[in-house]
Amino acid sequence: MTATPDADAESLPKSWDPGAVEADIYQGWVDAGYFTADPASDKPAYSIVLPPPNVTGSLHMGHALDHTLMDALTRRKRMQGFEVLWLPGMDHAGIATQTLVEKQLTAGGTTKEELGRERFIDKVWEWKQESGGTIGAQMRRLGDGVDWSRDRFTMDDGLSRAVRTIFKKLYDAGLIYQAERLVNWSPVLETAISDLEVKYEDVEGELVSFRYGSLSDDEPHIIVATTRVETMLGDTAIAVHPDDERYRHLVGASLPHPFLDTEIVIVADTHVDPEFGTGAVKVTPAHDPNDFEIGLRHSLPMPTIMDTKGRIAATGTQFDGMDRFEARVKVREALAEQGRIVAEKRPYLHSVGHSERSGEPIEPRLSLQWWVKVEALAKAAGDAVRNGHTVIHPPSLEPRWFAWVDNMHDWCISRQLWWGHRIPIWHGPNGETVCVGPDETPPEGWEQDSDVLDTWFSSALWPFSTMGWPDRTPELDKFYPTTVLVTGYDILFFWVARMMMFGTFVADDPAITGDGQRSAPVPFENVFLHGLIRDEHGRKMSKSRGNGIDPLDWVEAFGADALRFTLARGASPGGDLAIGEDHARASRNFATKLFNATRFALMNGASPAPLPEAAALTDADRWILGRLEEVRAEVDTALDAYEFSRACESLYHFAWDEFCDWYVELAKVQLGEGVSHTTAVLAAVLDTLLKLLHPVMPFVTEVLWKTLTGGESLVVADWPQASGIALDTAAAQRIADTQKLITEVRRFRSDQGLADRQRVPARLSGISPAGLDDHVPAVRALAWLTDADEGFSPSASVEVRLSGGTVVVEVDTSGTVDVAAERRRLEKDLAAAQKELAGTTAKLGNDAFLAKAPAEVVDKIRARQQVAREEVDRINARLAGLPSPR
């Protein structure tokens, strides 16, 4: 008998429609203050700072993965009784933001130069106030449980003060200096850019081989090749390998430059590969990283031959004023006129670095910039991992970490922009310089340095500047160092290493050490590195391929829970994940499956209630409760190790394959038999299951759990603890046998061509020896069988071998059985049995095998032979009993 529908069940809609409820659910969480951290709490602290997305952008699928994993971690810890701070914020994105606002000004008929620096900065702030909220709105759509009261921006006053403070500390320690070095230069943006802002692409160019020196082969000359022939205007040397016999006699000699009144010296350097090309390379120290190093080793002149816009300048040749690409053609033509071109190869495919923001090929360029001396800082960052202060997950990425920090070059921190943290260096009228701290006044009449700091400089302070450093604050006392940093392995060097360097540098600061009772030598105790998102074909997502996915499109189509579960289910430490729309659709179906199962339970009166003693439970009850406890433990172990994929797979298969597909169906039988405690078991399993799924699927679980339990919110519910219910292995085996029996009968019915749910009379033999007496009602109900009457005359049968014996199911399919189909099925089974019999017989007839094989192996093969022989006899008898074909 089915219970009267519970009133709470009526509050659920008939189907799950995430778009209708998610926004209101999220706002309810925020209004309730669930995500606001209390530094005065006596709960243990758990903290994460959000890797700040660029204020100009919108969330892409990589962000969605980051946010899903961080939200899952913080939601679980909050349920486990921790005081959780997940601190949000955005990066001012110097280059991207300035470029965007400049384009808007150009469209309006003006430029930043016409406005002047101060008015331009005001315009950027205006843009930020009007358009900078896009990402925040998207985060709400995803369900991010961040503490909005502590939202930060890298240009906020407090963070600006932190930037000026650490700059002065580094400067006074001799770790910041100004020098002329080679940088990645963007001629469009007219600034140095970081390595992270350079994207390499294969392009079709040309490889030009030309000769320095005499045009006669009998006189001193050397042939060199280049893809950037215009840079020969800045050549100051030709390098050959010191062991190269072809050029040893020329080392130390000089050859005239074809267009300049200078000499090109020939130097010996081990950097040169004598097997590549002619074994001689042109050296342009001011426009190539490798050439710059050669220039340093040999004290070569380093003339810069291009201005900030990439135009040839200051060479005194006819090429001055030309764009670098125009000069490339004209220099080649001029060399050809002199008869110096030896060979031209085009198209020549080679890799060229491009500015990520402006798209043009970058120009390596010698430039006066500000630098951080990283040797000591990088060593401290490396030692923090070696000493176990920070743990990298997975450990397999540790070697990559050490490879980077142990071989780091000094960091160029200056940018030739207006938007950003202006370098706090002031220049006097006679060339003096002074670094001015945040609480100091610059000398009257001095001018501030015009450059701003690399965006990564302020981002490197993020874990502690966002909590109020350089002041001592309750947030620093409670939540620093942060517990874990979640990010992709692709920015391990660019961002993580910089945070580690600055975090270890200020480790002894009083604001960090607090009352001296604790030491925080690192900005985070754990670094969890996940992989990159790829499409369903394993290709990296990118705009150029057209395979990028807007995560909000999936939220619209499938719901936030489906997006989140898809991402978390594919996330493992260090591993890439390939996803497509089919994965999101499957996750939506999973949410619907949960919804329908819970609605069924509610409609049948399920609500939290004490469970009876184990002896009063059915096999199905003991099995599902024992499996639930195993899954709970598996999920805890996996999440503690950041193995989201393993946790989600365990929950998915338990929820769908075991609970929904089997227990709910068995529960229907129990309810029909009046087993009253079935609703309590349904409620107990759903209570725990919804809690375990909540960190990854917060919306659907919130709706279902509150309706089921009447509780306040899953956000503040207790995380499931060990139930003490061990899996009853005997009951589990009987359930497994029951499942196998039902499955095989269903397969048999399908082979017979019986329609789904078409009930047929049947007789079950061997049930008692198999130990399944209590499960006959379930078998009959779920295999759509009815009791055989006195005149029962079976027309077909199937034998199912179970752990406790063989059950024979005979059915009367008179008028419904397809004799031809049954014959085909039996003949297929006979062929398989005969193959097994032949294989085992052959092995047992092989004396060499019998002499070498262990006795237990031989016994197993003999047992398989006997089973196969019996199967052959059984099938042959069944075939003989079938009606003759007409």
Side-chain angles (χ1 to χ4, degrees):
M1 172 181 285
T2 301
T4 302
D6 187 87
D8 284 340
E10 298 303 322
S11 67
L12 285 179
K14 291 185 178 180
S15 61
W16 174 238
D17 181 7
V21 297
E22 287 179 346
D24 288 342
I25 292 171
Y26 183 82
Q27 192 58 48
W29 290 332
V30 174
D31 292 344
Y34 292 149
F35 306 139
T36 303
D38 178 11
S41 167
D42 58 2
K43 297 178 182 178
Y46 187 90
S47 57
I48 296 179
V49 291
L50 178 79
N54 288 353
V55 67
T56 58
S58 59
L59 297 184
H60 54 62
M61 200 58 89
H63 289 125
L65 172 61
D66 262 352
H67 291 218
T68 294
L69 302 185
M70 284 183 278
D71 196 40
L73 290 171
T74 52
R75 284 179 183 271
R76 174 174 177 250
K77 287 298 179 181
R78 194 178 289 111
M79 295 173 74
Q80 288 180 318
F82 286 76
E83 189 62 36
V84 173
L85 169 62
W86 183 16
L87 194 149
M90 287 185 288
D91 191 280
H92 65 278
I95 291 176
T97 305
Q98 178 161 322
T99 301
L100 187 151
V101 176
E102 281 193 68
K103 286 180 179 178
Q104 290 185 345
L105 291 176
T106 301
T110 188
T111 66
K112 75 176 193 297
E113 287 77 15
E114 290 173 349
L115 286 178
R117 187 165 191 150
E118 289 188 10
R119 288 182 61 201
F120 175 74
I121 297 301
D122 290 341
K123 285 289 184 184
V124 179
W125 277 109
E126 288 175 15
W127 174 87
K128 194 266 181 184
Q129 296 304 319
E130 294 171 3
S131 307
T134 300
I135 286 177
Q138 292 174 322
M139 289 170 62
R140 288 173 166 83
R141 294 290 306 280
L142 293 177
D144 287 2
V146 297
D147 185 346
W148 291 111
S149 71
R150 290 181 168 84
D151 196 11
R152 297 291 183 262
F153 182 55
T154 49
M155 288 287 287
D156 285 346
D157 289 343
L159 275 70
S160 294
R161 183 164 178 265
V163 166
R164 294 194 298 273
T165 299
I166 200 164
F167 187 99
K168 182 167 177 59
K169 285 179 175 290
L170 291 164
Y171 184 86
D172 290 347
L175 297 178
I176 287 181
Y177 64 96
Q178 190 177 35
E180 199 172 36
R181 297 280 180 84
L182 210 68
V183 296
N184 300 313
W185 187 266
S186 167
V188 171
L189 302 173
E190 293 188 75
T191 181
I193 60 177
S194 75
D195 290 340
L196 187 60
E197 292 156 333
V198 177
K199 302 299 180 185
Y200 286 87
E201 303 171 11
D202 286 338
V203 299
E204 290 186 352
E206 60 180 357
L207 182 67
V208 177
S209 298
F210 67 96
R211 63 196 294 159
Y212 272 112
S214 175
L215 299 179
S216 169
D217 291 343
D218 298 328
E219 297 178 1
H221 70 279
I222 286 184
I223 296 172
V224 295
T226 180
T227 58
R228 303 169 66 220
V229 70
E230 73 282 1
T231 63
M232 61 88 63
L233 297 171
D235 285 357
T236 56
I238 296 169
V240 299
H241 195 277
D243 297 333
D244 194 332
E245 294 292 342
R246 294 170 295 175
Y247 303 115
R248 182 169 289 177
H249 66 289
L250 290 175
V251 173
S254 296
L255 300 175
H257 193 286
F259 306 120
L260 303 172
D261 189 20
T262 57
E263 294 286 315
I264 305 297
V265 64
I266 300 169
V267 299
D269 197 283
T270 55
H271 168 75
V272 179
D273 180 1
E275 302 299 323
F276 182 77
T278 64
V281 297
K282 59 188 286 301
V283 180
T284 319
H287 292 277
D288 181 273
N290 294 322
D291 294 3
F292 177 73
E293 297 299 328
I294 293 174
L296 289 177
R297 287 194 290 271
H298 298 276
S299 301
L300 298 175
M302 298 186 181
T304 298
I305 62 163
M306 295 184 200
D307 65 14
T308 60
K309 295 182 182 292
R311 298 173 300 204
I312 304 300
T315 66
T317 67
Q318 69 268 34
F319 309 109
D320 281 358
M322 293 182 183
D323 176 82
R324 54 186 171 150
F325 301 114
E326 179 188 3
R328 182 170 299 171
V329 176
K330 296 301 183 182
V331 169
R332 174 172 48 77
E333 290 175 349
L335 287 170
E337 288 177 5
Q338 292 186 15
R340 295 188 176 278
I341 299 294
V342 176
E344 296 177 71
K345 182 179 180 180
R346 65 170 75 90
Y348 180 75
L349 192 68
H350 62 126
S351 181
V352 176
H354 289 69
S355 169
E356 181 184 39
R357 299 298 175 190
S358 47
E360 87 283 14
I362 59 105
E363 185 63 43
R365 184 173 187 269
L366 195 63
S367 178
L368 184 65
Q369 302 284 347
W370 289 95
W371 303 80
V372 171
K373 190 181 298 183
V374 302
E375 183 179 6
L377 299 173
K379 181 180 184 305
D383 288 346
V385 174
R386 290 187 180 93
N387 298 335
H389 295 304
T390 294
V391 179
I392 292 178
H393 308 268
S396 59
L397 288 179
E398 276 190 8
R400 183 182 297 192
W401 168 259
F402 294 127
W404 279 335
V405 297
D406 293 346
N407 299 281
M408 196 180 295
H409 298 294
D410 284 1
W411 171 17
C412 176
I413 56 171
S414 48
R415 299 291 182 264
Q416 290 63 57
L417 302 171
W418 286 357
W419 172 245
H421 293 283
R422 197 164 175 181
I423 290 179
I425 294 288
W426 294 73
H427 302 280
N430 299 313
E432 311 97 324
T433 60
V434 63
C435 180
V436 178
D439 300 320
E440 299 172 346
T441 303
E444 188 175 350
W446 288 33
E447 291 188 4
Q448 188 172 2
D449 197 285
S450 60
D451 287 350
V452 300
L453 287 163
D454 176 15
T455 297
W456 295 101
F457 190 95
S458 51
S459 296
L461 310 179
W462 190 249
F464 49 93
S465 64
T466 52
M467 295 190 196
W469 187 88
D471 297 326
R472 181 182 176 184
T473 64
E475 286 79 8
L476 283 171
D477 282 348
K478 179 72 175 179
F479 297 111
Y480 190 84
T482 61
T483 310
V484 61
L485 173 75
V486 177
T487 190
Y489 64 68
D490 54 327
I491 60 171
L492 180 62
F493 167 69
F494 295 105
W495 186 45
V496 181
R498 285 159 167 73
M499 287 190 290
M500 287 286 279
M501 289 192 301
F502 281 5
T504 53
F505 179 71
V506 301
D508 295 331
D509 188 282
I512 298 294
T513 59
D515 56 12
Q517 298 302 308
R518 62 185 179 90
S519 175
V522 290
F524 20 76
E525 295 163 350
N526 298 276
V527 177
F528 167 60
L529 299 166
H530 58 73
L532 306 180
I533 295 187
R534 301 183 181 276
D535 67 16
E536 63 266 39
H537 305 295
R539 301 173 303 179
K540 186 176 180 181
M541 289 187 180
S542 68
K543 291 181 181 178
S544 61
R545 285 197 181 95
N547 64 342
I549 301 170
D550 184 339
L552 273 297
D553 288 345
W554 279 11
V555 172
E556 291 286 346
F558 308 115
D561 288 324
L563 168 69
R564 292 165 60 112
F565 191 77
T566 299
L567 294 170
R569 191 178 180 187
S572 58
D576 291 349
L577 58 155
I579 57 172
E581 193 167 289
D582 286 347
H583 298 88
R585 187 174 291 107
S587 296
R588 179 200 59 192
N589 294 344
F590 180 50
T592 300
K593 189 84 167 179
L594 289 170
F595 182 88
N596 291 340
T598 308
R599 193 168 189 274
F600 160 79
L602 289 166
M603 293 295 289
N604 285 278
S607 62
L611 294 174
E613 295 295 323
L617 296 172
T618 67
D619 280 351
D621 299 332
R622 289 193 290 272
W623 162 69
I624 200 67
L625 291 170
R627 280 293 297 131
L628 178 66
E629 174 55 21
E630 288 184 336
V631 168
R632 183 209 60 78
E634 289 169 8
V635 169
D636 269 340
T637 299
L639 292 180
D640 284 343
Y642 305 101
E643 294 177 353
F644 295 92
S645 177
R646 185 157 67 95
C648 289
E649 283 296 313
S650 180
L651 285 167
Y652 177 88
H653 289 293
F654 172 78
W656 191 304
D657 301 341
E658 298 181 83
F659 179 67
C660 293
D661 279 0
W662 282 109
Y663 184 75
V664 168
E665 296 305 309
L666 294 170
K668 291 176 182 177
V669 178
Q670 293 185 180
L671 288 167
E673 294 182 316
V675 181
S676 59
H677 68 254
T678 302
T679 54
V681 176
L682 282 166
V685 175
L686 283 167
D687 180 26
T688 297
L689 178 59
L690 294 171
K691 287 177 177 177
L692 293 172
L693 281 166
H694 177 74
V696 175
M697 304 180 76
F699 293 105
V700 68
T701 55
E702 176 83 340
V703 169
L704 296 177
W705 185 84
K706 288 175 69 175
T707 307
L708 176 72
T709 67
E712 178 185 348
S713 172
L714 268 178
V715 180
V716 291
D718 291 334
W719 184 254
Q721 300 298 309
S723 67
I725 300 175
L727 182 67
D728 184 330
T729 55
Q733 184 60 63
R734 288 190 290 272
I735 291 298
D737 282 343
T738 301
Q739 291 171 343
K740 181 178 180 182
L741 179 56
I742 293 168
T743 301
E744 290 300 318
V745 174
R746 286 175 174 175
R747 185 178 294 118
F748 166 68
R749 290 172 54 96
S750 177
D751 290 342
Q752 290 297 307
L754 294 173
D756 283 351
R757 302 180 185 274
Q758 177 185 353
R759 296 195 173 276
V760 293
R763 181 167 59 211
L764 280 63
S765 304
I767 285 289
S768 292
L772 299 185
D773 292 292
D774 292 340
H775 298 279
V776 172
V779 173
R780 289 195 177 278
L782 301 183
W784 309 300
L785 306 176
T786 61
D787 289 331
D789 56 23
E790 291 183 2
F792 176 75
S793 178
S795 59
S797 67
V798 62
E799 291 186 11
V800 182
R801 198 175 302 277
L802 305 173
S803 65
T806 298
V807 173
V808 179
V809 181
E810 298 173 293
V811 297
D812 178 9
T813 58
S814 302
T816 61
V817 68
D818 184 335
V819 174
E822 172 69 350
R823 186 177 297 278
R824 286 194 298 272
R825 184 186 73 82
L826 290 170
E827 287 173 345
K828 181 180 177 182
D829 291 349
L830 178 61
Q834 288 172 334
K835 182 178 179 181
E836 171 73 355
L837 180 59
T840 54
T841 301
K843 281 191 174 182
L844 293 173
N846 185 330
D847 292 338
F849 169 76
L850 294 175
K852 294 180 179 179
E856 60 269 20
V857 173
V858 175
D859 289 343
K860 286 181 180 179
I861 294 175
R862 285 201 178 101
R864 285 171 50 195
Q865 182 192 47
Q866 182 60 30
V867 169
R869 184 177 289 117
E870 292 172 359
E871 190 74 354
V872 168
D873 292 343
R874 181 191 66 81
I875 296 172
N876 277 325
R878 177 70 188 116
L879 283 167
L882 285 177
S884 300
R886 294 179 180 178

